[in-house]
Amino acid sequence: MLNLVSLIIGVVALLCAAIAFLPLLGWANWLIIPLAVVGAGIGQVSGSRTGRNLNLFVVVVGIVRLMIGGGII
């Protein structure tokens, strides 16, 4: 059950991260990364690794996007 919650959080965060790749929306990653970290924490507690791995991927994508945009853009 916790893995399903983690997967849902990961999919929502991934969709939001895809939208945040548009110019001038990079600031949204400051909200997406903590959401994905919470999802990864929930995924860590669950028995499966799928939700945790998805959320960790979203965290990496968000951090790379912030580095590309200089943290704001």
Side-chain angles (χ1 to χ4, degrees):
M1 182 66 183
L2 289 175
N3 190 42
L4 181 62
V5 171
S6 178
L7 280 170
I8 291 170
I9 292 172
V11 168
V12 169
L14 186 61
L15 291 174
C16 292
I19 293 170
F21 259 95
L22 294 173
L24 301 176
L25 292 177
W27 57 267
N29 285 307
W30 288 107
L31 304 173
I32 295 166
I33 292 172
L35 177 67
V37 169
V38 169
I42 293 171
Q44 182 67 31
V45 175
S46 72
S48 182
R49 296 181 183 173
T50 310
R52 182 197 65 195
N53 291 343
L54 175 62
N55 283 294
L56 290 177
F57 174 74
V58 173
V59 169
V60 170
V61 167
I63 290 172
V64 168
R65 172 61 175 96
L66 281 174
M67 287 177 16
I68 290 170
I72 298 173
I73 301 175

Short mmCIF file of all heavy atoms in Angstrom, two decimals:
data_model
loop_
_atom_site.label_atom_id
_atom_site.label_comp_id
_atom_site.label_asym_id
_atom_site.label_seq_id
_atom_site.Cartn_x
_atom_site.Cartn_y
_atom_site.Cartn_z
N MET A 1 0.82 -1.19 0.00
CA MET A 1 0.00 0.00 0.00
C MET A 1 0.87 1.27 0.00
O MET A 1 0.57 2.21 -0.72
CB MET A 1 -0.92 -0.04 1.23
CG MET A 1 -1.84 1.11 1.33
SD MET A 1 -3.03 1.07 -0.01
CE MET A 1 -3.91 2.53 0.28
N LEU A 2 1.93 1.25 0.81
CA LEU A 2 2.81 2.41 0.85
C LEU A 2 3.54 2.61 -0.47
O LEU A 2 3.82 3.74 -0.88
CB LEU A 2 3.81 2.29 2.00
CG LEU A 2 3.24 2.45 3.40
CD1 LEU A 2 4.32 2.19 4.43
CD2 LEU A 2 2.67 3.84 3.59
N ASN A 3 3.85 1.49 -1.15
CA ASN A 3 4.51 1.61 -2.45
C ASN A 3 3.58 2.29 -3.46
O ASN A 3 4.04 3.09 -4.28
CB ASN A 3 4.95 0.24 -2.96
CG ASN A 3 5.83 0.36 -4.16
OD1 ASN A 3 6.70 1.21 -4.22
ND2 ASN A 3 5.61 -0.49 -5.14
N LEU A 4 2.30 1.99 -3.40
CA LEU A 4 1.34 2.63 -4.30
C LEU A 4 1.27 4.13 -4.03
O LEU A 4 1.26 4.94 -4.96
CB LEU A 4 -0.03 1.99 -4.15
CG LEU A 4 -1.14 2.55 -5.04
CD1 LEU A 4 -0.80 2.33 -6.50
CD2 LEU A 4 -2.46 1.91 -4.69
N VAL A 5 1.26 4.51 -2.77
CA VAL A 5 1.26 5.94 -2.41
C VAL A 5 2.53 6.61 -2.93
O VAL A 5 2.49 7.70 -3.49
CB VAL A 5 1.12 6.10 -0.88
CG1 VAL A 5 1.32 7.55 -0.47
CG2 VAL A 5 -0.22 5.59 -0.40
N SER A 6 3.66 5.93 -2.77
CA SER A 6 4.92 6.47 -3.25
C SER A 6 4.92 6.61 -4.76
O SER A 6 5.43 7.60 -5.31
CB SER A 6 6.07 5.57 -2.80
OG SER A 6 7.29 6.05 -3.28
N LEU A 7 4.37 5.64 -5.46
CA LEU A 7 4.28 5.72 -6.92
C LEU A 7 3.39 6.87 -7.37
O LEU A 7 3.72 7.58 -8.33
CB LEU A 7 3.76 4.40 -7.49
CG LEU A 7 4.78 3.28 -7.62
CD1 LEU A 7 4.09 1.98 -7.97
CD2 LEU A 7 5.81 3.64 -8.65
N ILE A 8 2.28 7.06 -6.70
CA ILE A 8 1.38 8.17 -7.05
C ILE A 8 2.08 9.51 -6.85
O ILE A 8 2.02 10.40 -7.70
CB ILE A 8 0.07 8.08 -6.25
CG1 ILE A 8 -0.74 6.87 -6.71
CG2 ILE A 8 -0.74 9.36 -6.39
CD1 ILE A 8 -1.92 6.56 -5.83
N ILE A 9 2.77 9.65 -5.72
CA ILE A 9 3.52 10.89 -5.47
C ILE A 9 4.60 11.07 -6.53
O ILE A 9 4.80 12.18 -7.04
CB ILE A 9 4.13 10.87 -4.05
CG1 ILE A 9 3.03 10.95 -3.00
CG2 ILE A 9 5.13 12.01 -3.87
CD1 ILE A 9 3.52 10.75 -1.58
N GLY A 10 5.26 9.99 -6.90
CA GLY A 10 6.32 10.07 -7.91
C GLY A 10 5.80 10.46 -9.28
O GLY A 10 6.43 11.26 -9.97
N VAL A 11 4.66 9.92 -9.67
CA VAL A 11 4.09 10.26 -10.98
C VAL A 11 3.66 11.72 -11.00
O VAL A 11 3.91 12.44 -11.97
CB VAL A 11 2.92 9.31 -11.32
CG1 VAL A 11 2.13 9.81 -12.50
CG2 VAL A 11 3.44 7.91 -11.58
N VAL A 12 3.02 12.18 -9.93
CA VAL A 12 2.61 13.59 -9.86
C VAL A 12 3.84 14.50 -9.90
O VAL A 12 3.87 15.50 -10.63
CB VAL A 12 1.77 13.84 -8.58
CG1 VAL A 12 1.57 15.32 -8.35
CG2 VAL A 12 0.44 13.13 -8.69
N ALA A 13 4.87 14.15 -9.14
CA ALA A 13 6.09 14.96 -9.13
C ALA A 13 6.78 14.94 -10.49
O ALA A 13 7.31 15.96 -10.94
CB ALA A 13 7.04 14.47 -8.05
N LEU A 14 6.76 13.79 -11.17
CA LEU A 14 7.39 13.70 -12.49
C LEU A 14 6.64 14.54 -13.52
O LEU A 14 7.25 15.22 -14.35
CB LEU A 14 7.46 12.25 -12.94
CG LEU A 14 8.22 11.97 -14.24
CD1 LEU A 14 9.67 12.41 -14.11
CD2 LEU A 14 8.14 10.50 -14.58
N LEU A 15 5.32 14.53 -13.46
CA LEU A 15 4.54 15.36 -14.38
C LEU A 15 4.80 16.85 -14.11
O LEU A 15 4.94 17.64 -15.05
CB LEU A 15 3.05 15.05 -14.25
CG LEU A 15 2.61 13.68 -14.77
CD1 LEU A 15 1.14 13.44 -14.45
CD2 LEU A 15 2.87 13.58 -16.26
N CYS A 16 4.86 17.22 -12.86
CA CYS A 16 5.16 18.61 -12.52
C CYS A 16 6.57 18.99 -12.94
O CYS A 16 6.82 20.11 -13.39
CB CYS A 16 4.97 18.84 -11.03
SG CYS A 16 3.26 18.73 -10.48
N ALA A 17 7.53 18.05 -12.80
CA ALA A 17 8.91 18.32 -13.22
C ALA A 17 8.99 18.49 -14.73
O ALA A 17 9.78 19.29 -15.23
CB ALA A 17 9.83 17.20 -12.76
N ALA A 18 8.17 17.74 -15.47
CA ALA A 18 8.15 17.90 -16.93
C ALA A 18 7.65 19.28 -17.31
O ALA A 18 8.18 19.92 -18.23
CB ALA A 18 7.28 16.82 -17.56
N ILE A 19 6.66 19.76 -16.60
CA ILE A 19 6.14 21.12 -16.85
C ILE A 19 7.17 22.16 -16.44
O ILE A 19 7.33 23.19 -17.10
CB ILE A 19 4.80 21.33 -16.11
CG1 ILE A 19 3.73 20.43 -16.71
CG2 ILE A 19 4.38 22.79 -16.15
CD1 ILE A 19 2.45 20.38 -15.91
N ALA A 20 7.92 21.89 -15.38
CA ALA A 20 8.92 22.84 -14.89
C ALA A 20 10.12 22.95 -15.81
O ALA A 20 10.98 23.80 -15.60
CB ALA A 20 9.36 22.44 -13.49
N PHE A 21 10.21 22.10 -16.84
CA PHE A 21 11.29 22.23 -17.81
C PHE A 21 11.06 23.38 -18.77
O PHE A 21 11.97 23.79 -19.48
CB PHE A 21 11.48 20.92 -18.60
CG PHE A 21 12.63 20.11 -18.10
CD1 PHE A 21 12.43 19.10 -17.18
CD2 PHE A 21 13.91 20.37 -18.54
CE1 PHE A 21 13.49 18.36 -16.72
CE2 PHE A 21 14.97 19.63 -18.08
CZ PHE A 21 14.77 18.62 -17.17
N LEU A 22 9.85 23.92 -18.81
CA LEU A 22 9.58 25.08 -19.66
C LEU A 22 10.34 26.29 -19.13
O LEU A 22 10.55 26.43 -17.92
CB LEU A 22 8.08 25.37 -19.68
CG LEU A 22 7.20 24.31 -20.34
CD1 LEU A 22 5.74 24.66 -20.15
CD2 LEU A 22 7.53 24.19 -21.81
N PRO A 23 10.75 27.18 -20.01
CA PRO A 23 11.46 28.38 -19.56
C PRO A 23 10.61 29.19 -18.56
O PRO A 23 9.39 29.28 -18.69
CB PRO A 23 11.68 29.17 -20.84
CG PRO A 23 11.65 28.15 -21.93
CD PRO A 23 10.68 27.11 -21.46
N LEU A 24 11.26 29.75 -17.60
CA LEU A 24 10.69 30.59 -16.54
C LEU A 24 9.84 29.82 -15.53
O LEU A 24 9.20 30.42 -14.69
CB LEU A 24 9.87 31.75 -17.13
CG LEU A 24 10.66 32.68 -18.05
CD1 LEU A 24 9.74 33.73 -18.64
CD2 LEU A 24 11.81 33.33 -17.33
N LEU A 25 9.82 28.51 -15.60
CA LEU A 25 9.10 27.71 -14.60
C LEU A 25 10.04 26.85 -13.77
O LEU A 25 9.60 25.97 -13.05
CB LEU A 25 8.05 26.83 -15.27
CG LEU A 25 6.87 27.55 -15.90
CD1 LEU A 25 5.95 26.56 -16.58
CD2 LEU A 25 6.11 28.35 -14.88
N GLY A 26 11.33 27.10 -13.86
CA GLY A 26 12.31 26.32 -13.11
C GLY A 26 12.18 26.47 -11.61
O GLY A 26 12.57 25.57 -10.86
N TRP A 27 11.62 27.57 -11.16
CA TRP A 27 11.43 27.78 -9.72
C TRP A 27 10.52 26.72 -9.11
O TRP A 27 10.58 26.45 -7.92
CB TRP A 27 10.84 29.17 -9.45
CG TRP A 27 9.54 29.39 -10.17
CD1 TRP A 27 9.39 29.94 -11.39
CD2 TRP A 27 8.24 29.01 -9.74
NE1 TRP A 27 8.06 29.95 -11.75
CE2 TRP A 27 7.33 29.39 -10.75
CE3 TRP A 27 7.75 28.41 -8.60
CZ2 TRP A 27 5.97 29.16 -10.64
CZ3 TRP A 27 6.39 28.18 -8.50
CH2 TRP A 27 5.51 28.55 -9.52
N ALA A 28 9.68 26.09 -9.92
CA ALA A 28 8.76 25.07 -9.41
C ALA A 28 9.52 23.85 -8.89
O ALA A 28 8.99 23.09 -8.06
CB ALA A 28 7.78 24.66 -10.50
N ASN A 29 10.74 23.66 -9.34
CA ASN A 29 11.54 22.53 -8.85
C ASN A 29 11.83 22.65 -7.36
O ASN A 29 12.06 21.64 -6.70
CB ASN A 29 12.84 22.40 -9.65
CG ASN A 29 12.58 21.82 -11.01
OD1 ASN A 29 11.98 20.77 -11.14
ND2 ASN A 29 13.04 22.51 -12.03
N TRP A 30 11.83 23.87 -6.83
CA TRP A 30 12.02 24.04 -5.39
C TRP A 30 10.86 23.43 -4.61
O TRP A 30 10.99 23.12 -3.43
CB TRP A 30 12.18 25.52 -5.04
CG TRP A 30 13.49 26.08 -5.49
CD1 TRP A 30 13.71 26.92 -6.52
CD2 TRP A 30 14.78 25.80 -4.92
NE1 TRP A 30 15.05 27.19 -6.63
CE2 TRP A 30 15.72 26.52 -5.66
CE3 TRP A 30 15.21 25.02 -3.84
CZ2 TRP A 30 17.09 26.49 -5.37
CZ3 TRP A 30 16.56 24.98 -3.57
CH2 TRP A 30 17.49 25.71 -4.31
N LEU A 31 9.70 23.28 -5.23
CA LEU A 31 8.56 22.63 -4.59
C LEU A 31 8.48 21.15 -4.94
O LEU A 31 8.00 20.34 -4.14
CB LEU A 31 7.27 23.33 -5.02
CG LEU A 31 7.19 24.83 -4.76
CD1 LEU A 31 5.94 25.41 -5.39
CD2 LEU A 31 7.24 25.11 -3.28
N ILE A 32 8.95 20.80 -6.13
CA ILE A 32 8.86 19.42 -6.60
C ILE A 32 9.87 18.52 -5.89
O ILE A 32 9.55 17.38 -5.53
CB ILE A 32 9.06 19.38 -8.13
CG1 ILE A 32 7.90 20.11 -8.80
CG2 ILE A 32 9.18 17.96 -8.64
CD1 ILE A 32 8.15 20.43 -10.26
N ILE A 33 11.07 19.02 -5.67
CA ILE A 33 12.10 18.20 -5.03
C ILE A 33 11.70 17.75 -3.62
O ILE A 33 11.81 16.56 -3.31
CB ILE A 33 13.46 18.93 -5.05
CG1 ILE A 33 13.96 19.03 -6.49
CG2 ILE A 33 14.49 18.21 -4.18
CD1 ILE A 33 15.19 19.88 -6.67
N PRO A 34 11.21 18.63 -2.75
CA PRO A 34 10.77 18.14 -1.43
C PRO A 34 9.61 17.15 -1.52
O PRO A 34 9.55 16.19 -0.73
CB PRO A 34 10.35 19.40 -0.68
CG PRO A 34 11.05 20.50 -1.36
CD PRO A 34 11.18 20.10 -2.79
N LEU A 35 8.71 17.34 -2.48
CA LEU A 35 7.61 16.39 -2.67
C LEU A 35 8.16 15.02 -3.03
O LEU A 35 7.73 14.00 -2.50
CB LEU A 35 6.66 16.90 -3.76
CG LEU A 35 5.50 15.97 -4.12
CD1 LEU A 35 4.54 15.85 -2.96
CD2 LEU A 35 4.79 16.49 -5.36
N ALA A 36 9.14 14.98 -3.92
CA ALA A 36 9.74 13.72 -4.32
C ALA A 36 10.54 13.09 -3.19
O ALA A 36 10.60 11.86 -3.07
CB ALA A 36 10.61 13.92 -5.55
N VAL A 37 11.15 13.91 -2.35
CA VAL A 37 11.89 13.37 -1.20
C VAL A 37 10.93 12.70 -0.22
O VAL A 37 11.22 11.63 0.32
CB VAL A 37 12.72 14.48 -0.51
CG1 VAL A 37 13.26 14.02 0.83
CG2 VAL A 37 13.85 14.91 -1.42
N VAL A 38 9.77 13.32 0.00
CA VAL A 38 8.75 12.69 0.85
C VAL A 38 8.28 11.38 0.24
O VAL A 38 8.15 10.36 0.93
CB VAL A 38 7.55 13.66 1.08
CG1 VAL A 38 6.38 12.94 1.71
CG2 VAL A 38 7.98 14.83 1.92
N GLY A 39 8.07 11.36 -1.07
CA GLY A 39 7.68 10.14 -1.76
C GLY A 39 8.75 9.06 -1.65
O GLY A 39 8.44 7.88 -1.49
N ALA A 40 10.02 9.47 -1.73
CA ALA A 40 11.11 8.50 -1.59
C ALA A 40 11.16 7.95 -0.17
O ALA A 40 11.44 6.76 0.03
CB ALA A 40 12.44 9.15 -1.95
N GLY A 41 10.87 8.79 0.81
CA GLY A 41 10.82 8.31 2.19
C GLY A 41 9.71 7.30 2.40
O GLY A 41 9.91 6.27 3.06
N ILE A 42 8.56 7.57 1.84
CA ILE A 42 7.45 6.62 1.93
C ILE A 42 7.80 5.34 1.18
O ILE A 42 7.51 4.24 1.65
CB ILE A 42 6.16 7.24 1.39
CG1 ILE A 42 5.70 8.38 2.29
CG2 ILE A 42 5.06 6.20 1.27
CD1 ILE A 42 4.56 9.20 1.74
N GLY A 43 8.46 5.47 0.04
CA GLY A 43 8.87 4.30 -0.72
C GLY A 43 9.93 3.48 0.00
O GLY A 43 9.99 2.26 -0.16
N GLN A 44 10.76 4.13 0.79
CA GLN A 44 11.78 3.41 1.56
C GLN A 44 11.15 2.54 2.64
O GLN A 44 11.63 1.45 2.92
CB GLN A 44 12.75 4.41 2.19
CG GLN A 44 13.87 3.79 2.96
CD GLN A 44 14.83 3.01 2.09
OE1 GLN A 44 15.03 3.34 0.93
NE2 GLN A 44 15.41 1.97 2.64
N VAL A 45 10.05 3.02 3.22
CA VAL A 45 9.37 2.27 4.27
C VAL A 45 8.64 1.05 3.70
O VAL A 45 8.52 0.03 4.37
CB VAL A 45 8.39 3.20 5.03
CG1 VAL A 45 7.59 2.43 6.05
CG2 VAL A 45 9.15 4.32 5.69
N SER A 46 8.19 1.17 2.45
CA SER A 46 7.44 0.07 1.84
C SER A 46 8.38 -1.09 1.49
O SER A 46 9.60 -0.95 1.49
CB SER A 46 6.70 0.53 0.59
OG SER A 46 7.61 0.77 -0.45
N GLY A 47 7.79 -2.21 1.15
CA GLY A 47 8.58 -3.39 0.85
C GLY A 47 9.20 -3.38 -0.53
O GLY A 47 10.19 -4.04 -0.78
N SER A 48 8.62 -2.64 -1.46
CA SER A 48 9.10 -2.62 -2.84
C SER A 48 9.99 -1.40 -3.07
O SER A 48 9.93 -0.42 -2.33
CB SER A 48 7.91 -2.58 -3.80
OG SER A 48 8.36 -2.60 -5.13
N ARG A 49 10.79 -1.46 -4.11
CA ARG A 49 11.73 -0.37 -4.40
C ARG A 49 11.27 0.54 -5.52
O ARG A 49 11.88 1.57 -5.78
CB ARG A 49 13.08 -0.95 -4.79
CG ARG A 49 13.72 -1.72 -3.69
CD ARG A 49 15.06 -2.22 -4.15
NE ARG A 49 15.67 -3.04 -3.12
CZ ARG A 49 16.77 -3.71 -3.28
NH1 ARG A 49 17.38 -3.69 -4.44
NH2 ARG A 49 17.27 -4.41 -2.30
N THR A 50 10.21 0.19 -6.20
CA THR A 50 9.80 0.91 -7.41
C THR A 50 9.47 2.38 -7.11
O THR A 50 9.94 3.28 -7.81
CB THR A 50 8.59 0.22 -8.04
OG1 THR A 50 8.85 -1.16 -8.16
CG2 THR A 50 8.28 0.81 -9.39
N GLY A 51 8.65 2.63 -6.11
CA GLY A 51 8.26 3.99 -5.77
C GLY A 51 9.44 4.83 -5.33
O GLY A 51 9.56 6.00 -5.72
N ARG A 52 10.32 4.23 -4.55
CA ARG A 52 11.50 4.96 -4.09
C ARG A 52 12.38 5.34 -5.27
O ARG A 52 12.84 6.48 -5.36
CB ARG A 52 12.30 4.10 -3.11
CG ARG A 52 13.52 4.82 -2.57
CD ARG A 52 14.51 3.89 -1.95
NE ARG A 52 15.03 3.03 -3.01
CZ ARG A 52 15.71 1.92 -2.77
NH1 ARG A 52 15.90 1.52 -1.53
NH2 ARG A 52 16.17 1.20 -3.76
N ASN A 53 12.60 4.40 -6.18
CA ASN A 53 13.46 4.68 -7.33
C ASN A 53 12.88 5.75 -8.24
O ASN A 53 13.62 6.60 -8.75
CB ASN A 53 13.71 3.39 -8.12
CG ASN A 53 14.57 2.41 -7.35
OD1 ASN A 53 15.23 2.77 -6.39
ND2 ASN A 53 14.54 1.17 -7.77
N LEU A 54 11.57 5.73 -8.44
CA LEU A 54 10.93 6.76 -9.26
C LEU A 54 11.11 8.13 -8.63
O LEU A 54 11.46 9.11 -9.31
CB LEU A 54 9.45 6.46 -9.45
CG LEU A 54 8.63 7.52 -10.19
CD1 LEU A 54 9.15 7.70 -11.60
CD2 LEU A 54 7.17 7.16 -10.18
N ASN A 55 10.92 8.23 -7.34
CA ASN A 55 11.05 9.52 -6.66
C ASN A 55 12.51 9.99 -6.64
O ASN A 55 12.76 11.19 -6.77
CB ASN A 55 10.50 9.42 -5.24
CG ASN A 55 9.00 9.46 -5.23
OD1 ASN A 55 8.40 10.47 -5.57
ND2 ASN A 55 8.37 8.36 -4.86
N LEU A 56 13.44 9.08 -6.50
CA LEU A 56 14.85 9.49 -6.55
C LEU A 56 15.22 9.99 -7.94
O LEU A 56 16.00 10.93 -8.08
CB LEU A 56 15.75 8.33 -6.13
CG LEU A 56 15.68 7.96 -4.65
CD1 LEU A 56 16.56 6.75 -4.37
CD2 LEU A 56 16.07 9.12 -3.76
N PHE A 57 14.64 9.38 -8.98
CA PHE A 57 14.85 9.86 -10.34
C PHE A 57 14.31 11.28 -10.50
O PHE A 57 14.96 12.14 -11.10
CB PHE A 57 14.18 8.91 -11.34
CG PHE A 57 14.22 9.40 -12.75
CD1 PHE A 57 15.41 9.37 -13.47
CD2 PHE A 57 13.09 9.91 -13.36
CE1 PHE A 57 15.46 9.84 -14.78
CE2 PHE A 57 13.13 10.37 -14.66
CZ PHE A 57 14.32 10.33 -15.37
N VAL A 58 13.14 11.54 -9.94
CA VAL A 58 12.55 12.88 -10.02
C VAL A 58 13.43 13.90 -9.28
O VAL A 58 13.62 15.02 -9.75
CB VAL A 58 11.11 12.89 -9.47
CG1 VAL A 58 10.56 14.29 -9.40
CG2 VAL A 58 10.22 12.01 -10.32
N VAL A 59 13.98 13.50 -8.15
CA VAL A 59 14.87 14.39 -7.41
C VAL A 59 16.10 14.74 -8.26
O VAL A 59 16.49 15.92 -8.35
CB VAL A 59 15.30 13.76 -6.06
CG1 VAL A 59 16.43 14.54 -5.42
CG2 VAL A 59 14.12 13.67 -5.12
N VAL A 60 16.68 13.75 -8.90
CA VAL A 60 17.86 14.00 -9.74
C VAL A 60 17.50 14.91 -10.92
O VAL A 60 18.24 15.85 -11.23
CB VAL A 60 18.47 12.66 -10.23
CG1 VAL A 60 19.52 12.88 -11.29
CG2 VAL A 60 19.04 11.90 -9.06
N VAL A 61 16.36 14.65 -11.56
CA VAL A 61 15.93 15.49 -12.68
C VAL A 61 15.72 16.93 -12.19
O VAL A 61 16.14 17.88 -12.86
CB VAL A 61 14.63 14.93 -13.30
CG1 VAL A 61 13.99 15.94 -14.24
CG2 VAL A 61 14.93 13.64 -14.04
N GLY A 62 15.10 17.10 -11.05
CA GLY A 62 14.86 18.45 -10.52
C GLY A 62 16.15 19.17 -10.18
O GLY A 62 16.30 20.37 -10.46
N ILE A 63 17.11 18.46 -9.60
CA ILE A 63 18.39 19.08 -9.25
C ILE A 63 19.16 19.47 -10.51
O ILE A 63 19.74 20.57 -10.58
CB ILE A 63 19.22 18.15 -8.34
CG1 ILE A 63 18.56 18.08 -6.97
CG2 ILE A 63 20.65 18.61 -8.23
CD1 ILE A 63 19.17 17.06 -6.04
N VAL A 64 19.14 18.61 -11.51
CA VAL A 64 19.84 18.94 -12.77
C VAL A 64 19.19 20.16 -13.41
O VAL A 64 19.88 21.06 -13.90
CB VAL A 64 19.83 17.73 -13.72
CG1 VAL A 64 20.27 18.12 -15.12
CG2 VAL A 64 20.71 16.62 -13.18
N ARG A 65 17.87 20.23 -13.40
CA ARG A 65 17.16 21.38 -13.98
C ARG A 65 17.51 22.65 -13.22
O ARG A 65 17.69 23.72 -13.83
CB ARG A 65 15.66 21.13 -13.98
CG ARG A 65 14.81 22.33 -14.39
CD ARG A 65 15.13 22.78 -15.81
NE ARG A 65 14.25 23.84 -16.23
CZ ARG A 65 14.53 25.13 -16.17
NH1 ARG A 65 15.68 25.53 -15.69
NH2 ARG A 65 13.68 26.04 -16.59
N LEU A 66 17.60 22.58 -11.91
CA LEU A 66 17.98 23.76 -11.13
C LEU A 66 19.41 24.18 -11.44
O LEU A 66 19.72 25.37 -11.50
CB LEU A 66 17.82 23.49 -9.64
CG LEU A 66 16.39 23.58 -9.10
CD1 LEU A 66 16.36 23.15 -7.65
CD2 LEU A 66 15.84 24.97 -9.24
N MET A 67 20.30 23.22 -11.65
CA MET A 67 21.68 23.56 -11.97
C MET A 67 21.77 24.21 -13.35
O MET A 67 22.54 25.15 -13.54
CB MET A 67 22.55 22.30 -11.92
CG MET A 67 22.81 21.83 -10.51
SD MET A 67 23.75 20.30 -10.29
CE MET A 67 24.53 19.98 -11.80
N ILE A 68 20.98 23.74 -14.29
CA ILE A 68 20.97 24.32 -15.63
C ILE A 68 20.47 25.76 -15.59
O ILE A 68 21.02 26.64 -16.24
CB ILE A 68 20.11 23.48 -16.59
CG1 ILE A 68 20.78 22.15 -16.88
CG2 ILE A 68 19.82 24.21 -17.89
CD1 ILE A 68 19.89 21.16 -17.64
N GLY A 69 19.42 25.99 -14.82
CA GLY A 69 18.81 27.32 -14.77
C GLY A 69 19.41 28.25 -13.75
O GLY A 69 18.95 29.36 -13.58
N GLY A 70 20.43 27.82 -13.04
CA GLY A 70 21.07 28.68 -12.06
C GLY A 70 20.28 28.79 -10.77
O GLY A 70 20.51 29.70 -9.98
N GLY A 71 19.32 27.91 -10.55
CA GLY A 71 18.59 27.88 -9.29
C GLY A 71 17.27 28.61 -9.31
O GLY A 71 16.47 28.45 -8.40
N ILE A 72 17.02 29.42 -10.32
CA ILE A 72 15.77 30.18 -10.33
C ILE A 72 15.00 29.97 -11.62
O ILE A 72 13.82 29.65 -11.62
CB ILE A 72 16.05 31.69 -10.15
CG1 ILE A 72 16.70 31.94 -8.82
CG2 ILE A 72 14.78 32.50 -10.28
CD1 ILE A 72 17.16 33.35 -8.60
N ILE A 73 15.63 30.16 -12.75
CA ILE A 73 14.93 30.19 -14.03
C ILE A 73 14.61 28.79 -14.48
O ILE A 73 15.35 27.96 -14.74
CB ILE A 73 15.73 30.96 -15.09
CG1 ILE A 73 15.95 32.37 -14.60
CG2 ILE A 73 15.04 30.94 -16.41
CD1 ILE A 73 16.83 33.22 -15.47
#
